[in-house]
Amino acid sequence: MRCIPCLILAVLAVQGCKSCRTERVAPPAQADVLHAEPAEPEPEPDPFAGLAAVDPGSLGLVNPDPALEAVSTSALISIKGMLMNEKHDEAREKLEELLEVHPGLLEPSFTMADLFLREGEVDEAATLIEHVLLARYPLYATKLIATPSFKWLEKKNPDAWRDLIEAREAARRGWAEAMTRPGVFLLVAPPYPADKPGDPDSVKLNRGWVVFLDAETGRFLPLTPRANAAGFILDRGEKRLIVLTWKRYDRETRDEEGEIMRPALLQGVRIASVDLTTFETSPSVDLGADLVEARISIRSGLVLATVVRLDFEDNEGVETSYEIDCEKFEAKPAPKAPPGPMDLIASYGRIEPPALPSAGFAQDADALPGGWRCVEPGEGVKLCAVPSGKESVLHDLVLEKPAEEDAEPVTLAKGVGILQIDIL
């Protein structure tokens, strides 16, 4: 019996030693794994690696006049109706007639390419598709992907489909490279007929399309639809183009004594962005109707809008401010941004462009439109928008190279309406 207490003490001593050994064991290695930073995924290989560069001189258009791309809407609607009803012979005949009168015109060329794809003439279609992609990539890159005959080609002829995808990517790379070269962004309005040059005191050009002028090639790269842009801002941080559009504006109404009964109102005001690398255009964000004024600005990378909407009951303007969500493409209520020099202001059917930095611009230049302005898009290169005449709202675009001896000024375009000019 005397040995029992000794045995109990021995057991407790052994357990205590096990406990000590357990405390000295290092924590499981799994704990470190749980807290380790996840490894960065390997970048996906470029499916277009080694794709040949596009000749910069083949990009864009030779003239910025958006009216040059206009064609009879009814004629094209009729032709596309023939395609839908599989009347291919009739459609081909009409397209050939149209292209004989207007060789190289883009929309008829793309429609003809669609016809060729429907009939399995892939090589003929590829030539036309490359033509329209180089000329207006943002528009026709989207149209190509949405065209049923192109989608069918992926199943019917995967090799030909791959060739067209590569042509599309080569055009995009060419356009993206152009944005890195010396150049100028212009808002160009369709001009008045030659016999009606316009009166800057009573009539204003107010909408057009935004084009990029590549100063090295003298080519114009359209970035927006033909005639609906009212003004633009360059978001230099995000390398994108912010564009303001409206469907129409209602002119002001006055009483017999000349007092304003109702101000001019903007209808269908929208804002969208164009990525200057991918050239994808965002869906439009609706800013509303019956607007007396719309003010767009960029503050610390945020796109902000303030609109003044007419309250018909009180006959007063109601101001509302928004932050434009460029990811979800919606306007969220936001505190009012203080007015600044880089604001784009649209009111009474007219546009007031953002103030431009003085560097690179002629100090004594008048403001556009109606005056002239010179800008230096690159070293030793100067572009001037010169009015066609004293009473004209149209301009001639003149490129000069003062650094080169005996270099004569080159007129890139004559008689076009230039509403804005800016450099990225």
Side-chain angles (χ1 to χ4, degrees), residues 54 59-61 106 129-145 164-176 179 220-224 274-281:
V54 176
L59 302 178
L61 307 173
L106 300 184
I129 288 172
E130 184 178 8
H131 165 61
V132 298
L133 285 173
L134 294 177
R136 290 191 65 183
Y137 178 85
L139 174 65
Y140 289 106
T142 302
K143 277 193 170 187
L144 178 64
I145 297 300
L164 289 179
I165 286 291
E166 288 187 352
R168 181 176 183 267
E169 173 62 14
R172 185 203 67 78
R173 292 186 180 193
W175 274 60
M179 298 297 125
F220 298 89
L221 284 63
L223 296 163
T224 66
V274 181
D275 187 295
L276 296 178
T277 301
T278 65
F279 301 98
E280 295 178 357
T281 300

mmCIF file of all heavy atoms in Angstrom, residues 54 59-61 106 129-145 164-176 179 220-224 274-281:
data_model
loop_
_atom_site.group_PDB
_atom_site.id
_atom_site.type_symbol
_atom_site.label_atom_id
_atom_site.label_comp_id
_atom_site.label_asym_id
_atom_site.label_seq_id
_atom_site.Cartn_x
_atom_site.Cartn_y
_atom_site.Cartn_z
ATOM 1 N N VAL A 54 0.311 47.256 -89.178
ATOM 2 C CA VAL A 54 -0.407 47.827 -90.314
ATOM 3 C C VAL A 54 0.293 49.106 -90.761
ATOM 4 O O VAL A 54 0.792 49.883 -89.930
ATOM 5 C CB VAL A 54 -1.867 48.136 -89.919
ATOM 6 C CG1 VAL A 54 -2.608 48.829 -91.051
ATOM 7 C CG2 VAL A 54 -2.588 46.859 -89.541
ATOM 8 N N LEU A 59 -4.481 53.928 -92.645
ATOM 9 C CA LEU A 59 -5.522 54.080 -91.627
ATOM 10 C C LEU A 59 -6.366 55.326 -91.888
ATOM 11 O O LEU A 59 -5.887 56.326 -92.423
ATOM 12 C CB LEU A 59 -4.889 54.195 -90.237
ATOM 13 C CG LEU A 59 -3.990 53.041 -89.791
ATOM 14 C CD1 LEU A 59 -3.411 53.337 -88.417
ATOM 15 C CD2 LEU A 59 -4.753 51.729 -89.776
ATOM 16 N N GLY A 60 -7.621 55.274 -91.471
ATOM 17 C CA GLY A 60 -8.463 56.460 -91.486
ATOM 18 C C GLY A 60 -8.876 56.900 -92.882
ATOM 19 O O GLY A 60 -8.870 56.134 -93.848
ATOM 20 N N LEU A 61 -9.237 58.197 -92.960
ATOM 21 C CA LEU A 61 -9.759 58.795 -94.183
ATOM 22 C C LEU A 61 -8.852 59.927 -94.631
ATOM 23 O O LEU A 61 -8.118 60.499 -93.830
ATOM 24 C CB LEU A 61 -11.179 59.328 -93.939
ATOM 25 C CG LEU A 61 -12.189 58.347 -93.339
ATOM 26 C CD1 LEU A 61 -13.477 59.069 -93.004
ATOM 27 C CD2 LEU A 61 -12.451 57.194 -94.294
ATOM 28 N N LEU A 106 -17.797 53.430 -97.401
ATOM 29 C CA LEU A 106 -17.623 52.377 -96.403
ATOM 30 C C LEU A 106 -18.859 51.519 -96.177
ATOM 31 O O LEU A 106 -18.761 50.289 -96.166
ATOM 32 C CB LEU A 106 -17.148 53.008 -95.090
ATOM 33 C CG LEU A 106 -15.828 53.766 -95.171
ATOM 34 C CD1 LEU A 106 -15.408 54.263 -93.801
ATOM 35 C CD2 LEU A 106 -14.727 52.903 -95.784
ATOM 36 N N ILE A 129 -13.596 43.902 -96.007
ATOM 37 C CA ILE A 129 -13.622 44.012 -94.546
ATOM 38 C C ILE A 129 -12.357 44.694 -94.045
ATOM 39 O O ILE A 129 -12.404 45.560 -93.164
ATOM 40 C CB ILE A 129 -13.795 42.615 -93.910
ATOM 41 C CG1 ILE A 129 -15.225 42.110 -94.147
ATOM 42 C CG2 ILE A 129 -13.484 42.652 -92.417
ATOM 43 C CD1 ILE A 129 -15.451 40.679 -93.738
ATOM 44 N N GLU A 130 -11.217 44.332 -94.602
ATOM 45 C CA GLU A 130 -9.969 44.990 -94.205
ATOM 46 C C GLU A 130 -10.030 46.480 -94.535
ATOM 47 O O GLU A 130 -9.580 47.316 -93.749
ATOM 48 C CB GLU A 130 -8.784 44.339 -94.913
ATOM 49 C CG GLU A 130 -7.442 44.925 -94.476
ATOM 50 C CD GLU A 130 -6.266 44.242 -95.132
ATOM 51 O OE1 GLU A 130 -6.485 43.415 -96.040
ATOM 52 O OE2 GLU A 130 -5.125 44.536 -94.744
ATOM 53 N N HIS A 131 -10.608 46.823 -95.675
ATOM 54 C CA HIS A 131 -10.736 48.221 -96.091
ATOM 55 C C HIS A 131 -11.533 49.036 -95.068
ATOM 56 O O HIS A 131 -11.102 50.108 -94.642
ATOM 57 C CB HIS A 131 -11.404 48.274 -97.475
ATOM 58 C CG HIS A 131 -11.919 49.620 -97.861
ATOM 59 N ND1 HIS A 131 -11.104 50.732 -97.989
ATOM 60 C CD2 HIS A 131 -13.187 50.045 -98.139
ATOM 61 C CE1 HIS A 131 -11.833 51.773 -98.339
ATOM 62 N NE2 HIS A 131 -13.098 51.387 -98.430
ATOM 63 N N VAL A 132 -12.694 48.535 -94.651
ATOM 64 C CA VAL A 132 -13.537 49.313 -93.741
ATOM 65 C C VAL A 132 -12.954 49.330 -92.325
ATOM 66 O O VAL A 132 -13.096 50.324 -91.599
ATOM 67 C CB VAL A 132 -14.992 48.791 -93.736
ATOM 68 C CG1 VAL A 132 -15.611 48.925 -95.113
ATOM 69 C CG2 VAL A 132 -15.091 47.356 -93.233
ATOM 70 N N LEU A 133 -12.265 48.244 -91.915
ATOM 71 C CA LEU A 133 -11.652 48.215 -90.584
ATOM 72 C C LEU A 133 -10.527 49.235 -90.478
ATOM 73 O O LEU A 133 -10.391 49.927 -89.460
ATOM 74 C CB LEU A 133 -11.117 46.817 -90.273
ATOM 75 C CG LEU A 133 -12.134 45.738 -89.917
ATOM 76 C CD1 LEU A 133 -11.452 44.386 -89.809
ATOM 77 C CD2 LEU A 133 -12.864 46.072 -88.620
ATOM 78 N N LEU A 134 -9.719 49.346 -91.501
ATOM 79 C CA LEU A 134 -8.631 50.315 -91.469
ATOM 80 C C LEU A 134 -9.171 51.741 -91.483
ATOM 81 O O LEU A 134 -8.619 52.628 -90.843
ATOM 82 C CB LEU A 134 -7.691 50.094 -92.663
ATOM 83 C CG LEU A 134 -6.907 48.779 -92.673
ATOM 84 C CD1 LEU A 134 -6.068 48.670 -93.942
ATOM 85 C CD2 LEU A 134 -6.024 48.656 -91.445
ATOM 86 N N ALA A 135 -10.265 51.952 -92.201
ATOM 87 C CA ALA A 135 -10.809 53.303 -92.335
ATOM 88 C C ALA A 135 -11.546 53.750 -91.077
ATOM 89 O O ALA A 135 -11.357 54.880 -90.604
ATOM 90 C CB ALA A 135 -11.745 53.379 -93.538
ATOM 91 N N ARG A 136 -12.399 52.875 -90.511
ATOM 92 C CA ARG A 136 -13.204 53.247 -89.327
ATOM 93 C C ARG A 136 -13.293 52.054 -88.386
ATOM 94 O O ARG A 136 -14.347 51.431 -88.227
ATOM 95 C CB ARG A 136 -14.610 53.712 -89.732
ATOM 96 C CG ARG A 136 -14.662 55.042 -90.434
ATOM 97 C CD ARG A 136 -16.086 55.552 -90.558
ATOM 98 N NE ARG A 136 -16.687 55.835 -89.258
ATOM 99 C CZ ARG A 136 -17.952 56.233 -89.086
ATOM 100 N NH1 ARG A 136 -18.737 56.370 -90.130
ATOM 101 N NH2 ARG A 136 -18.427 56.474 -87.879
ATOM 102 N N TYR A 137 -12.194 51.757 -87.721
ATOM 103 C CA TYR A 137 -12.156 50.575 -86.861
ATOM 104 C C TYR A 137 -13.246 50.577 -85.797
ATOM 105 O O TYR A 137 -13.931 49.561 -85.617
ATOM 106 C CB TYR A 137 -10.782 50.423 -86.210
ATOM 107 C CG TYR A 137 -10.720 49.238 -85.275
ATOM 108 C CD1 TYR A 137 -10.446 47.975 -85.760
ATOM 109 C CD2 TYR A 137 -10.997 49.380 -83.917
ATOM 110 C CE1 TYR A 137 -10.427 46.871 -84.926
ATOM 111 C CE2 TYR A 137 -10.988 48.283 -83.075
ATOM 112 C CZ TYR A 137 -10.708 47.028 -83.584
ATOM 113 O OH TYR A 137 -10.723 45.935 -82.747
ATOM 114 N N PRO A 138 -13.449 51.659 -85.007
ATOM 115 C CA PRO A 138 -14.429 51.582 -83.913
ATOM 116 C C PRO A 138 -15.820 51.159 -84.368
ATOM 117 O O PRO A 138 -16.506 50.432 -83.665
ATOM 118 C CB PRO A 138 -14.436 53.010 -83.358
ATOM 119 C CG PRO A 138 -13.103 53.560 -83.716
ATOM 120 C CD PRO A 138 -12.776 52.961 -85.054
ATOM 121 N N LEU A 139 -16.237 51.608 -85.545
ATOM 122 C CA LEU A 139 -17.572 51.278 -86.039
ATOM 123 C C LEU A 139 -17.628 49.860 -86.593
ATOM 124 O O LEU A 139 -18.490 49.059 -86.197
ATOM 125 C CB LEU A 139 -17.988 52.281 -87.122
ATOM 126 C CG LEU A 139 -19.312 51.984 -87.833
ATOM 127 C CD1 LEU A 139 -20.474 52.074 -86.841
ATOM 128 C CD2 LEU A 139 -19.534 52.947 -88.997
ATOM 129 N N TYR A 140 -16.701 49.515 -87.481
ATOM 130 C CA TYR A 140 -16.831 48.246 -88.207
ATOM 131 C C TYR A 140 -16.269 47.060 -87.448
ATOM 132 O O TYR A 140 -16.630 45.915 -87.749
ATOM 133 C CB TYR A 140 -16.202 48.385 -89.589
ATOM 134 C CG TYR A 140 -17.048 49.275 -90.472
ATOM 135 C CD1 TYR A 140 -16.655 50.576 -90.775
ATOM 136 C CD2 TYR A 140 -18.279 48.836 -90.954
ATOM 137 C CE1 TYR A 140 -17.451 51.406 -91.550
ATOM 138 C CE2 TYR A 140 -19.079 49.653 -91.726
ATOM 139 C CZ TYR A 140 -18.666 50.939 -92.016
ATOM 140 O OH TYR A 140 -19.469 51.755 -92.773
ATOM 141 N N ALA A 141 -15.435 47.268 -86.438
ATOM 142 C CA ALA A 141 -15.013 46.146 -85.593
ATOM 143 C C ALA A 141 -16.209 45.594 -84.836
ATOM 144 O O ALA A 141 -16.355 44.371 -84.674
ATOM 145 C CB ALA A 141 -13.932 46.609 -84.619
ATOM 146 N N THR A 142 -17.079 46.496 -84.387
ATOM 147 C CA THR A 142 -18.302 46.068 -83.679
ATOM 148 C C THR A 142 -19.295 45.445 -84.640
ATOM 149 O O THR A 142 -19.902 44.408 -84.362
ATOM 150 C CB THR A 142 -18.931 47.275 -82.963
ATOM 151 O OG1 THR A 142 -17.975 47.836 -82.063
ATOM 152 C CG2 THR A 142 -20.165 46.862 -82.187
ATOM 153 N N LYS A 143 -19.478 46.091 -85.794
ATOM 154 C CA LYS A 143 -20.431 45.569 -86.777
ATOM 155 C C LYS A 143 -20.034 44.182 -87.273
ATOM 156 O O LYS A 143 -20.896 43.324 -87.493
ATOM 157 C CB LYS A 143 -20.531 46.528 -87.967
ATOM 158 C CG LYS A 143 -21.479 47.698 -87.762
ATOM 159 C CD LYS A 143 -21.753 48.385 -89.089
ATOM 160 C CE LYS A 143 -22.873 49.399 -88.937
ATOM 161 N NZ LYS A 143 -23.290 49.964 -90.240
ATOM 162 N N LEU A 144 -18.747 43.971 -87.444
ATOM 163 C CA LEU A 144 -18.280 42.685 -87.962
ATOM 164 C C LEU A 144 -18.667 41.553 -87.023
ATOM 165 O O LEU A 144 -19.192 40.520 -87.456
ATOM 166 C CB LEU A 144 -16.763 42.728 -88.156
ATOM 167 C CG LEU A 144 -16.109 41.435 -88.656
ATOM 168 C CD1 LEU A 144 -16.610 41.100 -90.056
ATOM 169 C CD2 LEU A 144 -14.595 41.551 -88.640
ATOM 170 N N ILE A 145 -18.408 41.730 -85.734
ATOM 171 C CA ILE A 145 -18.699 40.677 -84.761
ATOM 172 C C ILE A 145 -20.201 40.402 -84.676
ATOM 173 O O ILE A 145 -20.627 39.278 -84.414
ATOM 174 C CB ILE A 145 -18.150 41.080 -83.373
ATOM 175 C CG1 ILE A 145 -16.626 41.205 -83.439
ATOM 176 C CG2 ILE A 145 -18.537 40.079 -82.312
ATOM 177 C CD1 ILE A 145 -15.909 39.948 -83.845
ATOM 178 N N LEU A 164 -9.820 36.640 -90.656
ATOM 179 C CA LEU A 164 -10.544 37.900 -90.476
ATOM 180 C C LEU A 164 -10.371 38.438 -89.060
ATOM 181 O O LEU A 164 -10.284 39.655 -88.854
ATOM 182 C CB LEU A 164 -12.024 37.709 -90.799
ATOM 183 C CG LEU A 164 -12.361 37.514 -92.281
ATOM 184 C CD1 LEU A 164 -13.857 37.318 -92.469
ATOM 185 C CD2 LEU A 164 -11.879 38.693 -93.109
ATOM 186 N N ILE A 165 -10.305 37.551 -88.076
ATOM 187 C CA ILE A 165 -10.055 37.981 -86.698
ATOM 188 C C ILE A 165 -8.670 38.621 -86.594
ATOM 189 O O ILE A 165 -8.476 39.640 -85.923
ATOM 190 C CB ILE A 165 -10.178 36.777 -85.738
ATOM 191 C CG1 ILE A 165 -11.648 36.401 -85.548
ATOM 192 C CG2 ILE A 165 -9.546 37.090 -84.390
ATOM 193 C CD1 ILE A 165 -12.460 37.412 -84.765
ATOM 194 N N GLU A 166 -7.696 38.036 -87.281
ATOM 195 C CA GLU A 166 -6.357 38.616 -87.265
ATOM 196 C C GLU A 166 -6.334 39.978 -87.963
ATOM 197 O O GLU A 166 -5.643 40.900 -87.519
ATOM 198 C CB GLU A 166 -5.368 37.659 -87.925
ATOM 199 C CG GLU A 166 -5.051 36.435 -87.087
ATOM 200 C CD GLU A 166 -3.948 35.591 -87.693
ATOM 201 O OE1 GLU A 166 -3.536 35.880 -88.842
ATOM 202 O OE2 GLU A 166 -3.492 34.634 -87.021
ATOM 203 N N ALA A 167 -7.081 40.111 -89.047
ATOM 204 C CA ALA A 167 -7.162 41.405 -89.741
ATOM 205 C C ALA A 167 -7.792 42.455 -88.836
ATOM 206 O O ALA A 167 -7.369 43.620 -88.816
ATOM 207 C CB ALA A 167 -7.970 41.255 -91.027
ATOM 208 N N ARG A 168 -8.781 42.034 -88.069
ATOM 209 C CA ARG A 168 -9.434 42.948 -87.120
ATOM 210 C C ARG A 168 -8.448 43.396 -86.046
ATOM 211 O O ARG A 168 -8.369 44.580 -85.710
ATOM 212 C CB ARG A 168 -10.634 42.241 -86.488
ATOM 213 C CG ARG A 168 -11.436 43.066 -85.495
ATOM 214 C CD ARG A 168 -12.634 42.248 -85.035
ATOM 215 N NE ARG A 168 -13.483 43.013 -84.136
ATOM 216 C CZ ARG A 168 -13.390 42.996 -82.816
ATOM 217 N NH1 ARG A 168 -12.459 42.241 -82.236
ATOM 218 N NH2 ARG A 168 -14.197 43.712 -82.065
ATOM 219 N N GLU A 169 -7.669 42.469 -85.511
ATOM 220 C CA GLU A 169 -6.705 42.813 -84.467
ATOM 221 C C GLU A 169 -5.564 43.665 -85.024
ATOM 222 O O GLU A 169 -5.081 44.585 -84.364
ATOM 223 C CB GLU A 169 -6.151 41.537 -83.835
ATOM 224 C CG GLU A 169 -5.005 41.753 -82.842
ATOM 225 C CD GLU A 169 -5.378 42.591 -81.628
ATOM 226 O OE1 GLU A 169 -6.592 42.811 -81.396
ATOM 227 O OE2 GLU A 169 -4.452 43.029 -80.912
ATOM 228 N N ALA A 170 -5.130 43.379 -86.247
ATOM 229 C CA ALA A 170 -4.072 44.188 -86.859
ATOM 230 C C ALA A 170 -4.534 45.630 -87.037
ATOM 231 O O ALA A 170 -3.756 46.572 -86.809
ATOM 232 C CB ALA A 170 -3.667 43.589 -88.205
ATOM 233 N N ALA A 171 -5.787 45.812 -87.426
ATOM 234 C CA ALA A 171 -6.327 47.168 -87.562
ATOM 235 C C ALA A 171 -6.385 47.869 -86.208
ATOM 236 O O ALA A 171 -6.033 49.045 -86.087
ATOM 237 C CB ALA A 171 -7.710 47.112 -88.200
ATOM 238 N N ARG A 172 -6.809 47.144 -85.170
ATOM 239 C CA ARG A 172 -6.873 47.753 -83.834
ATOM 240 C C ARG A 172 -5.496 48.192 -83.371
ATOM 241 O O ARG A 172 -5.331 49.297 -82.826
ATOM 242 C CB ARG A 172 -7.464 46.773 -82.821
ATOM 243 C CG ARG A 172 -7.666 47.400 -81.432
ATOM 244 C CD ARG A 172 -7.713 46.373 -80.339
ATOM 245 N NE ARG A 172 -6.446 45.695 -80.156
ATOM 246 C CZ ARG A 172 -5.404 46.212 -79.511
ATOM 247 N NH1 ARG A 172 -5.458 47.437 -79.008
ATOM 248 N NH2 ARG A 172 -4.280 45.522 -79.382
ATOM 249 N N ARG A 173 -4.514 47.352 -83.577
ATOM 250 C CA ARG A 173 -3.153 47.701 -83.156
ATOM 251 C C ARG A 173 -2.649 48.930 -83.916
ATOM 252 O O ARG A 173 -1.954 49.779 -83.352
ATOM 253 C CB ARG A 173 -2.223 46.514 -83.371
ATOM 254 C CG ARG A 173 -2.525 45.341 -82.447
ATOM 255 C CD ARG A 173 -1.511 44.219 -82.577
ATOM 256 N NE ARG A 173 -1.838 43.124 -81.666
ATOM 257 C CZ ARG A 173 -1.009 42.119 -81.375
ATOM 258 N NH1 ARG A 173 0.189 42.082 -81.916
ATOM 259 N NH2 ARG A 173 -1.383 41.174 -80.533
ATOM 260 N N GLY A 174 -2.992 49.006 -85.184
ATOM 261 C CA GLY A 174 -2.593 50.173 -85.949
ATOM 262 C C GLY A 174 -3.222 51.443 -85.427
ATOM 263 O O GLY A 174 -2.557 52.482 -85.298
ATOM 264 N N TRP A 175 -4.513 51.388 -85.099
ATOM 265 C CA TRP A 175 -5.206 52.552 -84.551
ATOM 266 C C TRP A 175 -4.639 52.932 -83.184
ATOM 267 O O TRP A 175 -4.447 54.118 -82.887
ATOM 268 C CB TRP A 175 -6.709 52.257 -84.446
ATOM 269 C CG TRP A 175 -7.464 52.537 -85.701
ATOM 270 C CD1 TRP A 175 -7.263 51.963 -86.932
ATOM 271 C CD2 TRP A 175 -8.517 53.475 -85.866
ATOM 272 N NE1 TRP A 175 -8.140 52.486 -87.835
ATOM 273 C CE2 TRP A 175 -8.929 53.402 -87.220
ATOM 274 C CE3 TRP A 175 -9.172 54.335 -85.003
ATOM 275 C CZ2 TRP A 175 -9.956 54.194 -87.724
ATOM 276 C CZ3 TRP A 175 -10.204 55.123 -85.504
ATOM 277 C CH2 TRP A 175 -10.586 55.060 -86.844
ATOM 278 N N ALA A 176 -4.375 51.932 -82.332
ATOM 279 C CA ALA A 176 -3.820 52.219 -80.998
ATOM 280 C C ALA A 176 -2.448 52.866 -81.113
ATOM 281 O O ALA A 176 -2.115 53.788 -80.361
ATOM 282 C CB ALA A 176 -3.749 50.934 -80.177
ATOM 283 N N MET A 179 -2.619 56.582 -81.904
ATOM 284 C CA MET A 179 -2.928 57.467 -80.777
ATOM 285 C C MET A 179 -1.682 57.879 -79.997
ATOM 286 O O MET A 179 -1.726 58.816 -79.196
ATOM 287 C CB MET A 179 -3.903 56.784 -79.809
ATOM 288 C CG MET A 179 -5.246 56.427 -80.400
ATOM 289 S SD MET A 179 -6.228 57.818 -80.961
ATOM 290 C CE MET A 179 -6.539 57.345 -82.658
ATOM 291 N N PHE A 220 -7.203 61.046 -91.178
ATOM 292 C CA PHE A 220 -8.196 61.354 -90.150
ATOM 293 C C PHE A 220 -8.878 60.061 -89.718
ATOM 294 O O PHE A 220 -9.457 59.346 -90.545
ATOM 295 C CB PHE A 220 -9.230 62.349 -90.683
ATOM 296 C CG PHE A 220 -8.639 63.669 -91.081
ATOM 297 C CD1 PHE A 220 -8.157 63.876 -92.371
ATOM 298 C CD2 PHE A 220 -8.555 64.709 -90.171
ATOM 299 C CE1 PHE A 220 -7.606 65.092 -92.742
ATOM 300 C CE2 PHE A 220 -8.002 65.936 -90.532
ATOM 301 C CZ PHE A 220 -7.536 66.128 -91.816
ATOM 302 N N LEU A 221 -8.826 59.765 -88.404
ATOM 303 C CA LEU A 221 -9.374 58.527 -87.865
ATOM 304 C C LEU A 221 -10.640 58.829 -87.078
ATOM 305 O O LEU A 221 -10.581 59.363 -85.971
ATOM 306 C CB LEU A 221 -8.343 57.838 -86.955
ATOM 307 C CG LEU A 221 -7.174 57.104 -87.627
ATOM 308 C CD1 LEU A 221 -6.283 58.046 -88.414
ATOM 309 C CD2 LEU A 221 -6.363 56.347 -86.590
ATOM 310 N N PRO A 222 -11.830 58.509 -87.624
ATOM 311 C CA PRO A 222 -13.095 58.809 -86.937
ATOM 312 C C PRO A 222 -13.288 57.935 -85.704
ATOM 313 O O PRO A 222 -13.131 56.719 -85.758
ATOM 314 C CB PRO A 222 -14.162 58.510 -87.987
ATOM 315 C CG PRO A 222 -13.418 58.450 -89.295
ATOM 316 C CD PRO A 222 -12.052 57.961 -88.965
ATOM 317 N N LEU A 223 -13.669 58.567 -84.594
ATOM 318 C CA LEU A 223 -13.832 57.856 -83.323
ATOM 319 C C LEU A 223 -15.281 57.764 -82.866
ATOM 320 O O LEU A 223 -15.580 57.015 -81.938
ATOM 321 C CB LEU A 223 -13.003 58.554 -82.236
ATOM 322 C CG LEU A 223 -11.488 58.530 -82.468
ATOM 323 C CD1 LEU A 223 -10.792 59.562 -81.598
ATOM 324 C CD2 LEU A 223 -10.931 57.139 -82.201
ATOM 325 N N THR A 224 -16.187 58.530 -83.474
ATOM 326 C CA THR A 224 -17.600 58.532 -83.073
ATOM 327 C C THR A 224 -18.474 58.416 -84.312
ATOM 328 O O THR A 224 -17.987 58.557 -85.436
ATOM 329 C CB THR A 224 -17.954 59.829 -82.322
ATOM 330 O OG1 THR A 224 -17.851 60.942 -83.228
ATOM 331 C CG2 THR A 224 -17.039 60.050 -81.133
ATOM 332 N N VAL A 274 -15.190 56.559 -75.185
ATOM 333 C CA VAL A 274 -14.504 55.717 -76.168
ATOM 334 C C VAL A 274 -13.109 55.422 -75.640
ATOM 335 O O VAL A 274 -12.326 56.341 -75.391
ATOM 336 C CB VAL A 274 -14.405 56.415 -77.545
ATOM 337 C CG1 VAL A 274 -13.701 55.499 -78.547
ATOM 338 C CG2 VAL A 274 -15.776 56.815 -78.054
ATOM 339 N N ASP A 275 -12.801 54.149 -75.431
ATOM 340 C CA ASP A 275 -11.471 53.740 -74.986
ATOM 341 C C ASP A 275 -10.500 53.904 -76.151
ATOM 342 O O ASP A 275 -10.746 53.389 -77.251
ATOM 343 C CB ASP A 275 -11.507 52.279 -74.517
ATOM 344 C CG ASP A 275 -10.209 51.829 -73.884
ATOM 345 O OD1 ASP A 275 -9.191 51.789 -74.600
ATOM 346 O OD2 ASP A 275 -10.196 51.528 -72.682
ATOM 347 N N LEU A 276 -9.411 54.624 -75.923
ATOM 348 C CA LEU A 276 -8.476 54.930 -77.007
ATOM 349 C C LEU A 276 -7.400 53.864 -77.191
ATOM 350 O O LEU A 276 -6.412 54.095 -77.881
ATOM 351 C CB LEU A 276 -7.838 56.303 -76.768
ATOM 352 C CG LEU A 276 -8.814 57.475 -76.794
ATOM 353 C CD1 LEU A 276 -8.106 58.788 -76.498
ATOM 354 C CD2 LEU A 276 -9.560 57.549 -78.120
ATOM 355 N N THR A 277 -7.613 52.696 -76.567
ATOM 356 C CA THR A 277 -6.732 51.549 -76.795
ATOM 357 C C THR A 277 -7.497 50.407 -77.459
ATOM 358 O O THR A 277 -7.055 49.835 -78.450
ATOM 359 C CB THR A 277 -6.113 51.060 -75.480
ATOM 360 O OG1 THR A 277 -5.363 52.131 -74.894
ATOM 361 C CG2 THR A 277 -5.168 49.887 -75.726
ATOM 362 N N THR A 278 -8.673 50.097 -76.908
ATOM 363 C CA THR A 278 -9.509 49.043 -77.492
ATOM 364 C C THR A 278 -10.498 49.604 -78.505
ATOM 365 O O THR A 278 -11.020 48.868 -79.333
ATOM 366 C CB THR A 278 -10.299 48.307 -76.404
ATOM 367 O OG1 THR A 278 -11.227 49.232 -75.788
ATOM 368 C CG2 THR A 278 -9.378 47.762 -75.331
ATOM 369 N N PHE A 279 -10.816 50.902 -78.383
ATOM 370 C CA PHE A 279 -11.774 51.617 -79.229
ATOM 371 C C PHE A 279 -13.191 51.105 -79.052
ATOM 372 O O PHE A 279 -14.039 51.259 -79.934
ATOM 373 C CB PHE A 279 -11.337 51.584 -80.698
ATOM 374 C CG PHE A 279 -9.986 52.204 -80.883
ATOM 375 C CD1 PHE A 279 -8.859 51.408 -80.954
ATOM 376 C CD2 PHE A 279 -9.844 53.572 -80.907
ATOM 377 C CE1 PHE A 279 -7.603 51.973 -81.081
ATOM 378 C CE2 PHE A 279 -8.580 54.142 -81.020
ATOM 379 C CZ PHE A 279 -7.469 53.347 -81.113
ATOM 380 N N GLU A 280 -13.439 50.499 -77.892
ATOM 381 C CA GLU A 280 -14.808 50.124 -77.553
ATOM 382 C C GLU A 280 -15.548 51.357 -77.051
ATOM 383 O O GLU A 280 -15.008 52.139 -76.267
ATOM 384 C CB GLU A 280 -14.810 49.028 -76.488
ATOM 385 C CG GLU A 280 -14.206 47.711 -76.968
ATOM 386 C CD GLU A 280 -14.187 46.667 -75.868
ATOM 387 O OE1 GLU A 280 -14.598 46.991 -74.734
ATOM 388 O OE2 GLU A 280 -13.752 45.524 -76.126
ATOM 389 N N THR A 281 -16.776 51.518 -77.507
ATOM 390 C CA THR A 281 -17.619 52.638 -77.079
ATOM 391 C C THR A 281 -18.601 52.140 -76.030
ATOM 392 O O THR A 281 -19.284 51.128 -76.237
ATOM 393 C CB THR A 281 -18.381 53.231 -78.272
ATOM 394 O OG1 THR A 281 -17.443 53.685 -79.242
ATOM 395 C CG2 THR A 281 -19.251 54.404 -77.833
#
